[in-house]
Amino acid sequence: MAKKQYSFYPGCSSQSGASSSNYLTSTQSMVNLLDVALNEIPDWNCCGASIGYAGGGELPRVALSARNLALSEQHNPGQEVVATCAACWLATREAKERLDHSATLLAETNEALKEAGLVFKNEAPPARHMVEVLIEDIGYETLKSGVKKPLEGIKFAGYVGCQTNRPFGIDGESFENPMYLDRMVESMGGEAITNYDQKVTCCGGALAFSEPEKSQKQIHDIIESAYDHGADMIVTPCPLCQANVEIYQGEVNKRYGKKFNIPVTYYSQLITVAYGGSSKDAALDGQIIRATRLEEIANK
Amino acid sequence: MSIEKYTRSFLKEVEERVEEGHWVKMCMQCGVCAGSCPLGAHWEHTPQKIFMMIRAGKREEVLSSDSMWMCTSCYQCIVRCPRKLPITHIMHGLAYLAKREGLVPKNQPTAQFGQLFWDNLVKTGRVNELKLSLGMYFKDGFSQGIKNAMAMQSVGLGMMKAKRLNPMEIMGGHGIKDKSGFHAMLKKARELEDSRRKLA
Ligand code: SF4
Ligand code: SF4
Ligand code: SF4
Ligand code: SF4
């Protein structure tokens, strides 16, 4: 059995055939290489993300996360919930925080859960982001010690975005200039652009879709700064950031007369490749803009 | 719900009917949040100003405003506010109240997208990204939908090639097993919230 066991909340966008399926594939390869087991919460549901407010109000949204937490308590007792999606992590943590603070909300949530035959006991600690597992439970030094193929010569702009960073953030990191992504890149032997000034700029989130003309300015700035700093590729911990920054490059080029074509990868792909995994293990075939430099190392 | 009860105090209404609304009175009008929104140029009223307007009783003006719908949920304001107001959630709550009161500006795209997103997830318990995007493209009718979908065709094809958008999702796609329990749970949650916040 793997050393560390966690209760895993993958989220909708990671499912096969969905926008961040490459994140899930590379995460699975990464945790196998790190001897960590992710036990999927049976029958988990969508967390509602942030945009769920428009249709769902507060209690139904909290109930969504509470259902996942109740299922986790029941099927993966004693295991911490871990999410890979920033929005999933945020929604799940936020729901628990509200339930901790309001007896009314907790009572009503349990009344709603009863309809699904569930009860939320609020036993487990707050949900964690996969990044926390990597840097807190495993640690940079240990991460570094397993590197077989250092990502030498590749310059990464670490795009942290919003929701992995605010409001909870990663312990010990500042909101304005978190360093953990850069340190992860360095642990893998890559070159981190530590003065990348757009690292916590919002990509527009769901509004990239509903208000494209307004949001593409954000995406433009995030990419332009990566180019200005000489980045070979962008790396991010968030599936929505990844999708927004990668897939709209063609649109941004049209709107701003640019020729952007920069790969946007996940930290899980970097670790998988550095640990000796194949292109396929790292789901590099899932990039719309191919990360050729990473593929070269993986195929070496 | 009769609105008369609140005509004299919109602040009181916000405290009772809006998610985290009880925080509004804590705002000290420092203006820090006003400079935090990524789409700031498109906000008719900044969060700071919205809190002032609530206290001034400007119910229609606030609820029928486009502003709250410009919130990207970036949480920049929350981490900066010296009074620790959960500004993001109050914006969401005001937008939701506006929706329930029928005051959202017509064809507000984020309001429409948010509703489509919610309906989509409620149906199967998980979001079906293909149906969600098609729903958004076709919200203004068939011919506009074709135009929108054509405009985004290169994005869609790239996603399909990378196996990150599955055309078969149109047939159903991912979903949870216990749909009936899930639906009963959400129905109950909505009833309880509606009665507590007098939204029905
Ligand atoms: S955040 Fe996005 S992907 Fe994650 S579960 Fe929620 S909706 Fe689905
Ligand atoms: S940058 Fe924007 S989209 Fe990406 S996580 Fe933050 S809010 Fe979400
Ligand atoms: S930052 Fe906080 S206190 Fe200052 S204006 Fe905004 S909400 Fe009010
Ligand atoms: S969370 Fe919303 S209100 Fe707060 S800064 Fe971001 S966009 Fe503005």
Side-chain angles (χ1 to χ4, degrees):
Chain A
M1 201 163 79
K3 254 198 324 261
K4 296 191 168 74
Q5 303 280 327
Y6 299 92
S7 182
F8 183 44
Y9 178 41
C12 307
S13 62
S14 69
Q15 299 172 95
S16 73
S19 60
S20 71
S21 47
N22 49 341
Y23 191 12
L24 183 63
T25 306
S26 56
T27 297
Q28 266 155 357
S29 307
M30 174 185 79
V31 296
N32 289 341
L33 291 161
L34 291 168
D35 202 23
V36 164
L38 297 178
N39 308 305
E40 185 168 332
I41 299 173
D43 213 34
W44 58 267
N45 55 262
C46 176
C47 68
S50 300
I51 194 67
Y53 75 81
E58 183 184 27
L59 184 59
R61 235 161 66 234
V62 168
L64 288 177
S65 289
R67 181 177 178 277
N68 291 328
L69 290 171
L71 286 168
S72 176
E73 282 176 350
Q74 191 179 50
H75 297 280
N76 298 330
Q79 294 176 17
E80 290 177 311
V81 173
V82 169
T84 35
C85 167
C88 292
W89 175 56
L90 174 65
T92 311
R93 244 188 103 159
E94 209 166 75
K96 181 185 153 52
E97 196 178 78
R98 290 197 197 185
L99 293 167
D100 284 342
H101 286 134
S102 165
T104 312
L105 204 61
L106 181 60
E108 289 183 349
T109 300
N110 267 320
E111 213 179 316
L113 281 176
K114 203 162 74 195
E115 299 287 320
L118 293 166
V119 56
F120 174 57
K121 301 195 206 117
N122 204 0
E123 284 166 344
R128 302 177 74 205
H129 193 281
M130 178 53 85
V131 161
E132 295 177 296
V133 171
L134 295 176
I135 67 179
E136 291 166 6
D137 299 3
I138 297 175
Y140 298 110
E141 282 311 308
T142 313
L143 278 180
K144 192 174 167 180
S145 66
V147 172
K148 294 202 176 78
K149 294 176 176 174
L151 308 181
E152 267 161 9
I154 308 184
K155 283 192 192 162
F156 294 92
Y159 175 47
V160 177
C162 309
Q163 297 196 344
T164 323
N165 184 39
R166 300 182 296 263
F168 299 113
I170 304 294
D171 208 23
E173 295 279 358
S174 85
F175 295 127
E176 308 291 346
N177 190 17
M179 299 301 292
Y180 66 85
L181 198 50
D182 295 335
R183 292 190 64 189
M184 284 167 80
V185 164
E186 283 161 0
S187 306
M188 294 303 114
E191 189 178 328
I193 300 170
T194 52
N195 61 348
Y196 172 50
D197 54 353
Q198 301 290 327
K199 63 165 79 167
V200 298
T201 300
C202 179
C203 64
L207 278 74
F209 200 69
S210 58
E211 295 273 18
E213 352 37 77
K214 298 190 175 84
S215 311
Q216 282 175 13
K217 166 84 170 56
Q218 302 295 112
I219 299 174
H220 168 271
D221 293 353
I222 290 161
I223 301 170
E224 186 168 73
S225 167
Y227 270 108
D228 287 349
H229 286 90
D232 295 305
M233 57 185 85
I234 294 174
V235 57
T236 173
C238 169
L240 189 54
C241 296
Q242 195 284 335
N244 280 347
V245 175
E246 185 187 38
I247 70 183
Y248 293 117
Q249 284 188 38
E251 298 291 302
V252 169
N253 287 342
K254 265 186 256 164
R255 200 178 297 273
Y256 292 93
K258 293 287 161 72
K259 292 202 178 93
F260 294 153
N261 191 39
I262 191 166
V264 187
T265 54
Y266 292 109
Y267 62 88
S268 49
Q269 297 181 302
L270 271 50
I271 297 178
T272 301
V273 170
Y275 269 60
S278 68
S279 282
K280 198 155 186 294
D281 296 335
L284 291 172
D285 53 350
Q287 304 310 108
I288 290 163
I289 300 171
R290 304 295 289 225
T292 3
R293 304 278 311 266
L294 266 189
E295 286 184 31
E296 281 161 18
I297 295 183
N299 299 335
K300 218 163 43 188
Chain B
M1 171 63 208
S2 77
I3 298 160
E4 286 89 82
K5 191 182 153 208
Y6 294 113
T7 42
R8 265 176 302 127
S9 175
F10 181 36
L11 177 63
K12 187 154 191 306
E13 176 178 2
V14 168
E15 286 174 343
E16 286 174 7
R17 302 182 80 197
V18 170
E19 179 174 340
E20 306 282 352
H22 58 277
W23 278 92
V24 170
K25 62 174 180 296
M26 294 303 290
C27 170
M28 60 180 194
Q29 289 293 308
C30 71
V32 167
C33 59
S36 298
C37 305
L39 306 187
H42 304 283
W43 286 64
E44 189 189 353
H45 313 296
T46 62
Q48 174 201 10
K49 196 162 155 223
I50 288 175
F51 298 146
M52 193 174 69
M53 290 163 75
I54 291 172
R55 284 198 273 196
K58 301 198 168 158
R59 185 179 196 273
E60 294 288 316
E61 248 180 285
V62 169
L63 294 181
S64 60
S65 160
D66 195 50
S67 299
M68 301 84 77
W69 300 100
M70 297 295 138
C71 175
T72 62
S73 309
C74 75
Y75 288 78
Q76 192 72 265
C77 51
I78 291 198
V79 302
R80 288 180 179 167
C81 172
R83 283 276 174 88
K84 299 269 172 292
L85 266 79
I87 302 162
T88 316
H89 307 133
I90 307 171
M91 293 303 123
H92 295 173
L94 286 167
Y96 183 67
L97 178 63
K99 191 203 90 164
R100 297 299 300 270
E101 294 285 328
L103 290 169
V104 180
K106 209 165 162 275
N107 292 328
Q108 211 302 319
T110 303
Q112 291 175 322
F113 178 65
Q115 190 63 51
L116 279 171
F117 182 92
W118 182 258
D119 295 344
N120 186 303
L121 88 84
V122 167
K123 211 173 232 161
T124 64
R126 292 184 191 170
V127 163
N128 176 322
E129 292 175 337
L130 182 64
K131 282 188 192 160
L132 181 63
S133 24
L134 289 177
M136 191 65 189
Y137 295 148
F138 285 89
K139 72 184 171 54
D140 299 322
F142 188 71
S143 65
Q144 188 56 43
I146 296 286
K147 262 190 239 150
N148 296 345
M150 291 297 280
M152 288 302 281
Q153 201 186 31
S154 58
V155 170
L157 286 176
M159 298 278 286
M160 269 183 224
K161 227 172 89 196
K163 297 200 171 50
R164 285 161 55 186
L165 186 65
N166 181 359
M168 295 315 283
E169 285 267 329
I170 200 78
M171 312 297 287
H174 301 283
I176 59 169
K177 285 191 226 95
D178 182 23
K179 289 191 191 67
S180 65
F182 181 75
H183 289 142
M185 171 190 86
L186 287 177
K187 184 163 171 277
K188 184 58 145 192
R190 172 139 171 161
E191 282 166 15
L192 290 169
E193 178 158 273
D194 282 4
S195 104
R196 173 162 48 85
R197 297 212 191 269
K198 307 182 180 67
L199 288 171

